[in-house]
Amino acid sequence: MKSVKNLKNIRGKRVIVRADFNVPIEGGKILDATRIRVAVPTIDMLRKKGAKVILISHIGRDPQESLAPVARALKKYIPVTFIPDLVGAKATAAVRAMKNGDVILLENLRGNAGEKAGGKKFARSLAALGDIYVNEAFPVSHRTDASIFLLPKLLPAYAGLQLEREVKELSRVLKPKRPFLFILGGAKIETKLPILKRYLKEADHVFIGGVLANNFFKAQGHEIGVSKYDEGASVTALLKNKKLIIPHTVVVDRAGKKKTVATAEVKKTDSILDIGFPSIEMLAPIIRSAKLILWNGPMGYYEGGYVEGTEELLALLSHASGDTIIGGGDTAVLVERKKLAKKFTFVSTGGGATLDFLAKGTLAGIQALK
Ligand code: ADP
Ligand code: 3PG
Ligand code: MG
């Protein structure tokens, strides 16, 4: 991968920066601007070198969704003009009118069906807008979308500063220091099974929480009541793995009341919504001795107030002396919200992309840069 740092003599050059401004928005309000903030150093460096910076991104999954709120948020960091067009006449004219050091943001890439379809024609019309391509969109680099997978093949292509950082920091996990503890929670078991299987080989200990744990309790033969679990994913074959640490206490909703119980005591009408405090506490000595810890996925339904397991884990991890790497959309947002990001070695901005990178060691968009 060539680094954007090494770009020289770019005064007056049109540099297309593919960012991931897919931030959570509610009623026009940005709930977490981390993904905007992390792209700023690359953009700033390019504009200060006199390049004309053309920002492109997707937002959400609805092609009608606009990047206008992102442009407003971005203005807090750099002067940027929002162009409500993508590859049409307005965008072309706006690019032509740019002066050295200007920054524009074009409209949602997914507004054009060619983006998700990996359309060659669409990729060519994007390429026509610029001279150089920079991928600063790690969180979407697992996709083969046109702007990620095709565009870098049509222009001289470089890796953005944050993308480089993600690759460097997450690569610590690919060649781990030992003892290596992997903590996996959250939901969406189908997206987590590949990394679970990989790290049951690579890590020294694997602790299971979140909805994922319910599958394990069921496989152990316990009652899980009305708890969420993934019927399609069988984990029975994994149970005999000695590295696996399955919690023995959980917090359930029992007739509207929170109750911490042993996994063997869950009733038919209970809903398991968190890992019990004693089970998280049991992790303390392992956390203390670990040289590397990777954590993905909340321990419980924290949006609904079942926060104790996750918060206790956060507290233990924030005092760990080994390297601590956090991955996953919800997990990273949680860490930001608690203002604990500085306590960790690295907090990845990716969700699915981070899990994919950790499972495979590369991503489609990274391969396309090479
Ligand atoms: P990440 O984005 O960090 O990879 P996921 O998206 O896989 O994490 O999972 C996060 C979601 O899992 C959160 O919405 C959280 O409330 C939910 N969750 C975790 N444990 C439970 C549980 N026991 N019951 C219901 N929801 C849970
Ligand atoms: C993300 O938020 O994970 C990325 O922006 C990718 O979005 P997608 O899952 O809609 O492709
Ligand atoms: Mg998530």
Side-chain angles (χ1 to χ4, degrees):
M1 272 191 327
K2 284 181 287 181
S3 168
V4 70
K5 279 198 292 278
N6 301 330
L7 268 174
K8 290 192 185 79
N9 307 323
I10 52 168
R11 180 161 297 279
K13 288 273 189 331
R14 299 167 303 165
V15 183
I16 300 178
V17 178
R18 181 13 167 145
D20 186 333
F21 294 144
N22 185 22
V23 290
I25 302 187
E26 244 174 59
K29 196 175 172 278
I30 293 175
L31 303 179
D32 180 77
T34 308
R35 285 186 177 177
I36 296 175
R37 190 167 35 78
V38 297
V40 170
T42 290
I43 301 168
D44 224 24
M45 188 183 76
L46 292 168
R47 79 184 182 99
K48 284 181 176 150
K49 286 185 179 175
K52 299 170 179 172
V53 184
I54 301 153
L55 300 173
I56 55 173
S57 175
H58 72 287
I59 177 104
R61 287 185 174 170
D62 172 2
Q64 301 296 323
E65 204 172 332
S66 174
L67 279 165
V70 167
R72 284 195 290 276
L74 197 52
K75 278 189 183 130
K76 287 183 204 138
Y77 304 95
I78 37 166
V80 56
T81 309
F82 178 58
I83 311 295
D85 184 27
L86 186 53
V87 287
K90 250 193 232 159
T92 315
V95 170
R96 207 175 293 133
M98 287 176 88
K99 296 192 196 68
N100 297 353
D102 279 357
V103 182
I104 64 170
L105 170 64
L106 300 180
E107 188 52 287
N108 185 5
L109 283 163
R110 290 185 181 171
N112 190 304
E115 169 67 356
K116 287 277 349 144
K120 290 198 176 112
K121 192 164 160 255
F122 176 61
R124 278 196 295 272
S125 49
L126 283 174
L129 296 173
D131 305 303
I132 292 166
Y133 169 87
V134 174
N135 181 337
E136 188 56 306
F138 179 82
V140 67
S141 289
H142 56 323
R143 306 280 181 225
T144 49
D145 299 359
S147 68
I148 293 292
F149 197 61
L150 299 181
L151 193 50
K153 296 173 183 169
L154 300 175
L155 292 172
Y158 294 82
L161 301 172
Q162 175 67 19
L163 182 127
E164 279 190 302
R165 216 175 142 228
E166 293 272 0
V167 170
K168 180 175 152 241
E169 297 289 346
L170 294 177
S171 295
R172 288 174 198 267
V173 181
L174 302 175
K175 286 199 199 90
K177 290 189 212 163
R178 300 190 175 281
F180 169 25
L181 165 65
F182 178 40
I183 302 166
L184 186 62
K188 295 191 276 188
I189 189 165
E190 74 289 353
T191 65
K192 312 238 167 172
L193 273 183
I195 61 165
L196 176 60
K197 285 182 180 154
R198 174 170 178 148
Y199 290 105
L200 274 172
K201 288 195 202 101
E202 313 259 323
D204 299 290
H205 307 280
V206 177
F207 183 84
I208 304 289
V211 177
L212 202 66
N214 297 344
N215 273 62
F216 283 88
F217 302 145
K218 201 169 166 67
Q220 286 176 319
H222 294 311
E223 175 64 59
I224 61 165
V226 293
S227 314
K228 273 205 215 168
Y229 87 107
D230 191 333
E231 281 176 55
S234 169
V235 296
T236 313
L238 305 178
L239 283 180
K240 56 182 183 293
N241 193 310
K242 295 271 189 306
K243 294 173 176 179
L244 202 60
I245 309 171
I246 302 169
H248 60 289
T249 53
V250 289
V251 183
V252 297
D253 172 45
R254 183 171 290 173
K257 285 211 177 78
K258 252 190 212 182
K259 218 172 149 41
T260 302
V261 298
T263 47
E265 286 161 11
V266 172
K267 293 187 177 163
K268 274 200 167 57
T269 49
D270 289 348
S271 177
I272 303 170
L273 293 172
D274 198 4
I275 299 306
F277 189 90
S279 296
I280 304 284
E281 277 300 292
M282 263 185 52
L283 260 184
I286 299 175
I287 290 176
R288 259 198 303 277
S289 62
K291 291 265 185 331
L292 175 68
I293 303 167
L294 171 66
W295 175 32
N296 165 256
M299 293 293 103
Y301 174 48
Y302 68 93
E303 307 94 314
Y306 284 78
V307 297
E308 287 88 348
T310 306
E311 291 193 346
E312 178 58 11
L313 181 60
L314 261 172
L316 288 176
L317 291 180
S318 66
H319 294 108
S321 59
D323 291 345
T324 42
I325 310 283
I326 312 268
D330 288 87
T331 318
V333 167
L334 201 77
V335 170
E336 281 296 326
R337 206 180 295 158
K338 293 268 167 202
K339 305 214 179 328
L340 283 172
K342 286 206 171 68
K343 297 269 185 193
F344 298 97
T345 309
F346 184 65
V347 182
S348 176
T349 54
T354 305
L355 298 184
D356 263 24
F357 184 86
L358 292 172
K360 297 182 200 129
T362 190
L363 298 174
I366 292 171
Q367 290 308 110
L369 288 178
K370 288 180 179 162

